[in-house]
Structure formats: structure tokens, C-alpha cells
Amino acid sequence: MTLRKWNYLFWTTLAWGSGVAIAAGIFLIMLFDDFSFLEMTEPGFNWQTLLFALLGGALISTVSQMGFFAYLTVRYIAVGIIRVKWVWEGLQIFIIFDAFFATVYLSYKSFAGEGGSWVPYIWLPLILLIISFAVAYWKMIKTNKNAFIPTLFFMFVVTLIEMLPVLRYDSVAANIYMLSTLVACNTWQIMLLHKLVGNKKELA
């Protein structure tokens, strides 16, 4: 990874994040009449809300890139320590399932009233898991079969970790906004990695 390639990755990811955030912001303004950014903007379609949608997308894309490089670092260390392939892959699968059920359970305990249903809280991790499977399959087709589990892990677990600030609020609009932007940025980065390093055997 040269400085030139990193520079390309940074600016293109920033562009993807900002573009998707603006699109998501416009969609949410039309869908939710009271949509605003943390009470810092007036609800509805106005220049303040659009500006914050753009700035929010730029910030989320930066968080996405930090998460991406943190994952690559952790993966490099873990592969060096856990040298048995099936053990490392099994650990990733376990963490994926654990993250899924932990997200559902913690959201349910935090926001559901007494006697409330857990069903509404399964949709976000379920949708993210489906998207993660699709991206992992795409990555596998473009590189090799060993890329499937690492890509699935990155797209699901790392994206959930990056979403933690917004998961503390029971807000459908905020979840849609951040999830769509993070998925776009993380998909772009993971699919670009093997092209930047010039090695299809690079997993994720």
C-alpha cells in the first residue's frame, strides 16, 4: 500500500460516503417530516439539514476508514498468533453470531417496554447480515474462496462496531442514515483492497 494508493482510497471513500449520505438524507427528509440532525437543524427540507447530511457522511466515511485499517491491523496480528486456519475462521464465525444476538438482545433490553416484542430489533442486524453475505460472495468471486469469511466478518462485525454511537438511540432514521453510509464505504474499501495491493490472494 503506497501513499498514492492510500490517498486514492481515502478520497474515493470520502466521496462515496458523502454522496450516499446526501442521498440517504434526502430520502429520510421525504420519509420523515420531523427528520433533523440531533436537534442542530430544523426539521424538513432545508439547506441546514442537507449540509449536515454532507458533513455527517464525510465524518462517517472517516470512521469507516479508521475501522477498516484497525481491522486489517487486528487481522494481521491474529493470523500471526492463530496459525491454524480453521480455528481462526471458526472464531470469526462465532463472533459474527455473537454480535448478531448481542445486538438484538441489547437493543431489546434498552428500548422495548415491558412485554414488548423483540421482533423490531432483529431487522437491522438481519438486513446487515444479508448485505454482508452478498458482499462476501462478491469478494469471493473476484478473488478466491478464502476471502468469504474475512469479508463477512468485516462487513458485519466491524460495521456494527462503527454503528455503536447511533445504536444507543432508538431511531429508525438515524439507523438508516448511518447504516447506508457505512455499508457503502466499507463495501467500496473491501472490494478495492485486492486491486490496490495487486494480489487476489489478499483476503480482506
Side-chain angles (χ1 to χ4, degrees):
M1 177 73 74
T2 64
L3 183 60
R4 181 180 179 182
K5 291 179 178 179
W6 177 83
N7 189 57
Y8 174 77
L9 178 65
F10 175 83
W11 289 110
T12 53
T13 304
L14 185 67
W16 268 107
S18 301
V20 171
I22 284 289
I26 293 173
F27 170 77
L28 292 170
I29 290 171
M30 293 188 298
L31 192 63
F32 301 96
D33 294 333
D34 59 345
F35 178 72
S36 63
F37 281 88
L38 302 176
E39 300 181 353
M40 292 186 291
T41 65
E42 293 293 329
F45 198 94
N46 55 75
W47 71 269
Q48 283 184 318
T49 304
L50 292 177
L51 177 61
F52 271 83
L54 176 63
L55 295 177
L59 177 61
I60 293 171
S61 72
T62 303
V63 171
S64 170
Q65 293 184 62
M66 292 172 62
F68 182 60
F69 282 99
Y71 165 71
L72 292 179
T73 302
V74 171
R75 176 184 171 274
Y76 179 80
I77 296 172
V79 169
I81 297 174
I82 308 173
R83 297 186 178 275
V84 182
K85 179 184 174 182
W86 67 267
V87 174
W88 170 233
E89 291 185 344
L91 179 60
Q92 290 179 90
I93 293 173
F94 171 78
I95 295 175
I96 289 169
F97 278 101
D98 185 60
F100 182 93
F101 289 108
T103 302
V104 175
Y105 177 76
L106 292 176
S107 297
Y108 170 74
K109 293 294 289 184
S110 299
F111 305 121
E114 185 176 352
S117 172
W118 55 268
V119 175
Y121 304 101
I122 199 174
W123 289 112
L124 185 145
L126 182 60
I127 291 171
L128 178 57
L129 187 61
I130 293 171
I131 294 172
S132 300
F133 264 101
V135 175
Y137 181 76
W138 185 18
K139 178 76 173 183
M140 181 181 69
I141 295 299
K142 293 293 184 180
T143 55
N144 62 83
K145 63 180 182 179
N146 294 324
F148 185 85
I149 293 178
T151 302
L152 179 64
F153 179 89
F154 169 73
M155 288 299 302
F156 186 75
V157 177
V158 176
T159 300
L160 279 179
I161 292 173
E162 293 167 346
M163 284 192 67
L164 283 177
V166 79
L167 290 177
R168 294 181 301 172
Y169 305 97
D170 191 17
S171 171
V172 174
N175 285 334
I176 293 174
Y177 176 77
M178 193 160 191
L179 179 63
S180 59
T181 308
L182 281 174
V183 165
C185 292
N186 286 342
T187 301
W188 173 253
Q189 291 179 101
I190 204 69
M191 295 305 300
L192 193 62
L193 179 62
H194 63 275
K195 297 179 182 178
L196 292 178
V197 299
N199 182 9
K200 289 190 175 182
K201 292 184 179 180
E202 179 64 37
L203 301 184

